[in-house]
């Protein structure tokens, strides 16, 4: 396994999500990650980029989403950076509660946490939010 890094800068368009997800799959596979784990990484990236584009940047064409993939020994680290004002991930309603179970949105953070081993959101000094996700393999 060779350490490697890939950086993408994506437009704030929902169409960019598919490209980010495909890049996540290719990157994870090149790191030697197994098929089931690749699926989880791809899903987490898809959700994080969707949140960055839709909720973070509000699909503002003047803003971008940056995705950084790092392959390290026995883990993949991914950062998704948007240019939003920031938010509290713990303040997002739990999609598994009775009042939220039938809602058609609001599961992204739940899925990211389910598929990744370590997830943290933090504000960026220059404005925006970074979600850092780690998957061990």
């Amino acid at each position: 396994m060779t350490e490697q890094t890939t950086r993408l800068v994506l437009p704030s368009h929902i169409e960019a999500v598919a490209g980010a997800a495909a890049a996540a799959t290719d990157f994870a596979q090149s790191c030697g990650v197994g098929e089931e784990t690749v699926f989880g990484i791809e899903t987490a990236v898809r959700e994080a980029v969707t949140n960055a584009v839709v909720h973070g940047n509000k699909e503002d064409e003047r803003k971008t989403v940056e995705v950084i993939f790092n392959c390290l020994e026995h883990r993949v680290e991914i950062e998704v950076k948007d240019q939003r004002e920031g938010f509290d991930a713990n303040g997002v309603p739990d999609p598994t509660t009775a009042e939220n179970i039938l809602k058609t949105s609001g599961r992204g953070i739940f899925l990211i946490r389910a598929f990744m081993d370590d997830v943290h959101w933090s504000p960026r000094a220059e404005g925006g939010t970074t979600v850092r996700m780690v998957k061990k393999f």
Side-chain angles (χ1 to χ4, degrees):
M1 196 264 338
T2 303
E3 290 187 11
Q4 58 182 321
T5 299
T6 297
R7 178 179 175 264
L8 306 173
V9 178
L10 306 168
S12 288
H13 295 287
I14 199 67
E15 294 83 8
V17 173
T25 296
D26 292 344
F27 187 84
Q29 289 172 337
S30 74
C31 291
V33 175
E35 186 176 330
E36 287 182 23
T37 304
V38 168
F39 172 79
I41 291 170
E42 183 269 336
T43 301
V45 168
R46 183 179 295 278
E47 295 298 332
V49 173
T50 297
N51 286 346
V53 168
V54 175
H55 301 295
N57 292 346
K58 308 271 190 234
E59 297 186 68
D60 183 341
E61 294 181 9
R62 297 168 293 177
K63 296 181 180 182
T64 59
V65 175
E66 182 179 6
V67 184
I68 302 169
F69 301 99
N70 288 299
C71 182
L72 304 166
E73 188 172 348
H74 302 293
R75 72 185 188 279
V76 174
E77 296 179 358
I78 302 161
E79 291 183 343
V80 177
K81 302 177 181 186
D82 65 33
Q83 298 172 329
R84 78 172 106 197
E85 294 178 17
F87 83 113
D88 177 11
N90 294 319
V92 175
D94 181 350
T96 64
T97 61
E99 64 271 14
N100 296 323
I101 199 79
L102 296 178
K103 290 185 178 178
T104 58
S105 65
R107 290 170 177 73
I109 292 172
F110 176 82
L111 290 170
I112 291 168
R113 287 179 171 150
F115 284 115
M116 302 301 281
D117 296 316
D118 187 26
V119 183
H120 293 312
W121 284 265
S122 58
R124 299 174 62 201
E126 64 275 19
T129 300
T130 297
V131 58
R132 182 178 175 275
M133 306 176 285
V134 177
K135 185 62 181 177
K136 299 171 188 166
F137 64 95

